[in-house]
Amino acid sequence: MNRLQQYAELIIRFGVNIQEGQSLAIRSTTDAKDFTRALTEAAYAKGASEVNVLWTDEKVKRLQFEMAADEVFTRLPKYEKAFFDELVEKGSSLISIAAEDPDLLTGIDPNKIGTYSKSRMKSLRVFYDKMMNDELVWCVASMPTPAWAKKMFPNLGQDEALEALWEAIYKTVRVDTEDPVAAWEAHDKNLERRKEVLNDYRFDKLVYKNSLGTNLEVKLAQNHLWCGGSAFSAEGIKFFANMPTEEVFTMPDKMGTNGILYSALPLSYQGNIIDRFWFKFEEGRIVDYGAEVGEDVLREMIDFDEGARYLGEVALVDYNSPISDMNTLFFNTLFDENASCHFAIGRAYPTTIVGGSELSQDQLIEAGANDSMTHVDFMVGTEDLSIIGVTAEGKEVEVFRNGNLVI
């Protein structure tokens, strides 16, 4: 078995954990056709009843944004909505291949991109509700594509860049280890221990400081839960929503963030790069912001809807995590968020609060959860990041020192 097949089998076994007779959906790109075929074969070998693929093509997408009529971006094509409606109806598992060119939509009007994103989110709200509530089994994974590889390794030829990116991805998902299955099982146990420790503390708030200028206080939802690593679907199927994954994460109180926050890594958002950006928060809301690169895109991102001005996720990752220690910037949030502590603006995961899966949207909001049609992770972890946890009684506990967890 070659490493591509081994990687595909890991995603089928750990990522979506396909069950006998279960349906699988794959959202992929034409640049990933060989890998998609490997995933399909591995899924059928594990007992999948069917595998359905929704294809996209980067060059076609770019041409659409350059040349299509404006009204095209106000609606989602019926065939695409039908794909996700059927996925929900059947209770299919979903694999999404995240491998977009970080510069795919550079130069495109951010308003046009925003219109497209909003129409998509509105049309697929039921699907996203079920996904974020773990009612469906889902996994985001990746593989190299030519444009992305050249972005990461501009000094290499195309073939060499693709090979270098393959090697980097294999390392992040532990395919390079002697026994990848055992490595994933051990990794899951380590993340479970982290969650247990953090849940036992029941912190009221976290205070972030570093030399970039971050000085931020984040109140956590009263009944927050730290999640990460594996999760369980409504039917009790264990799965990993992200491969790779190094984070543990929880729910902030929507109105409880105050201070200033600086990004640590570039953010690839909707085919554009945003870099060296910052936010100022008052009572949870972003009231000021700036960026040295991509400020117009940043503005569109936080003006997506009112909820995009508030945090929906707090995530902890060691600065010396395996991906961070590679000293490789991926320009892809799936990887870069697992090399750095991060936050997400937008919608909160219901599963990050006690009993959240059973609460209505109104009840979640009452409990402090943010609601939005978007959810965008951005990286803030640095080598000198300090995080102090404060309990409801006012006790201060050092959580992160020099970028790493110390409890």
Side-chain angles (χ1 to χ4, degrees):
M1 181 187 303
N2 62 37
R3 289 197 294 176
L4 186 145
Q5 291 172 318
Q6 199 171 26
Y7 179 28
E9 290 205 358
L10 276 178
I11 293 171
I12 296 301
R13 175 171 178 169
F14 285 96
V16 292
N17 190 12
I18 282 292
Q19 305 295 297
E20 184 75 29
Q22 190 175 25
S23 172
L24 173 66
I26 302 176
R27 182 167 49 180
S28 189
T29 167
T30 52
D31 286 322
K33 58 183 181 298
D34 289 340
F35 186 50
T36 303
R37 290 166 183 163
L39 288 168
T40 300
E41 183 177 1
Y44 279 128
K46 189 87 184 295
S49 61
E50 64 175 341
V51 179
N52 297 307
V53 182
L54 178 66
W55 295 100
T56 60
D57 182 274
E58 287 195 343
K59 291 182 180 179
V60 169
K61 185 175 181 180
R62 174 76 194 195
L63 287 169
Q64 182 184 43
F65 274 94
E66 288 178 338
M67 304 176 74
D70 287 347
E71 70 92 17
V72 167
F73 302 99
T74 65
R75 52 178 170 77
L76 189 71
K78 290 182 179 180
Y79 78 87
E80 191 169 352
K81 186 176 188 307
F83 178 87
F84 289 97
D85 287 346
E86 183 178 12
L87 185 161
V88 169
E89 181 183 344
K90 290 183 176 180
S92 301
S93 296
L94 173 67
I95 297 172
S96 293
I97 306 299
E100 189 171 73
D101 174 7
D103 296 319
L104 179 65
L105 300 182
T106 298
I108 299 296
D109 180 2
N111 291 320
K112 184 181 290 188
I113 299 172
T115 298
Y116 166 80
S117 298
K118 289 174 185 176
S119 63
R120 181 181 181 83
M121 295 300 294
K122 287 178 181 177
S123 295
L124 301 181
R125 178 74 192 223
V126 173
F127 160 71
Y128 284 112
D129 284 352
K130 290 185 177 295
M131 185 185 76
M132 293 191 74
N133 207 30
D134 288 348
E135 293 180 52
L136 298 170
V137 172
W138 57 284
C139 178
V140 182
S142 193
M143 62 144 287
T145 58
W148 178 27
K150 283 296 290 181
K151 176 72 174 181
M152 283 186 61
F153 304 103
N155 297 325
L156 298 180
Q158 187 66 78
D159 291 344
E160 291 80 7
L162 283 167
E163 183 61 28
L165 184 47
W166 265 123
E167 290 298 324
I169 290 176
Y170 285 147
K171 187 174 181 63
T172 68
V173 294
R174 295 170 167 79
V175 169
D176 66 329
T177 61
E178 184 175 341
D179 187 344
V181 170
W184 270 95
E185 290 173 342
H187 180 46
D188 192 30
K189 289 179 181 178
N190 287 334
L191 291 174
E192 286 293 330
R193 283 193 289 269
R194 289 198 164 197
K195 291 186 292 185
E196 289 174 6
V197 170
L198 288 163
N199 282 326
D200 285 345
Y201 272 105
R202 307 302 310 158
F203 289 122
D204 178 65
K205 63 183 178 181
L206 299 176
V207 180
Y208 290 67
K209 293 182 180 181
N210 68 12
S211 60
L212 291 178
T214 290
N215 189 349
L216 191 76
E217 183 177 293
V218 183
K219 183 175 176 59
L220 302 181
Q222 185 173 5
N223 292 313
H224 67 275
L225 279 176
W226 288 93
C227 301
S230 60
F232 288 88
S233 72
E235 295 182 349
I237 298 173
K238 186 176 182 178
F239 69 99
F240 283 81
N242 289 168
M243 292 183 74
T245 185
E246 301 290 339
E247 67 176 326
V248 291
F249 60 97
T250 195
M251 182 187 293
D253 186 297
K254 176 181 178 178
M255 309 300 291
T257 300
N258 291 280
I260 194 158
L261 177 63
Y262 285 83
S263 67
L265 294 172
L267 171 64
S268 178
Y269 174 73
Q270 301 286 9
N272 287 271
I273 295 295
I274 309 171
D275 197 9
R276 296 183 292 280
F277 58 96
W278 57 271
F279 297 125
K280 181 180 179 182
F281 290 86
E282 291 181 0
E283 296 182 349
R285 193 175 192 272
I286 296 172
V287 296
D288 199 4
Y289 62 91
E292 291 188 25
V293 177
E295 185 167 310
D296 56 339
V297 181
L298 180 68
R299 182 183 306 110
E300 184 67 31
M301 185 179 87
I302 65 173
D303 284 343
F304 194 91
D305 58 20
E306 179 60 19
R309 290 262 176 167
Y310 295 82
L311 295 179
E313 178 187 326
V314 178
L316 303 181
V317 180
D318 281 338
Y319 183 81
N320 293 116
S321 68
I323 298 176
S324 179
D325 286 345
M326 292 170 64
N327 294 315
T328 300
L329 181 62
F330 283 85
F331 299 99
N332 182 312
T333 302
L334 174 63
F335 297 91
D336 291 334
E337 74 168 3
N338 284 298
S340 171
C341 283
H342 55 276
F343 293 99
I345 59 165
R347 191 175 183 185
Y349 285 97
T351 52
T352 53
I353 192 170
V354 175
S357 297
E358 308 301 322
L359 298 180
S360 68
Q361 195 59 42
D362 287 343
Q363 289 172 321
L364 284 167
I365 291 171
E366 185 178 348
N370 187 28
D371 186 31
S372 173
M373 288 192 299
T374 191
H375 180 97
V376 183
D377 298 276
F378 61 96
M379 290 62 74
V380 301
T382 58
E383 189 174 12
D384 65 349
L385 179 64
S386 162
I387 303 177
I388 301 297
V390 183
T391 67
E393 296 76 30
K395 179 182 178 181
E396 295 187 355
V397 179
E398 190 175 32
V399 179
F400 263 59
R401 181 195 315 132
N402 295 328
N404 293 311
L405 191 74
V406 292
I407 58 174

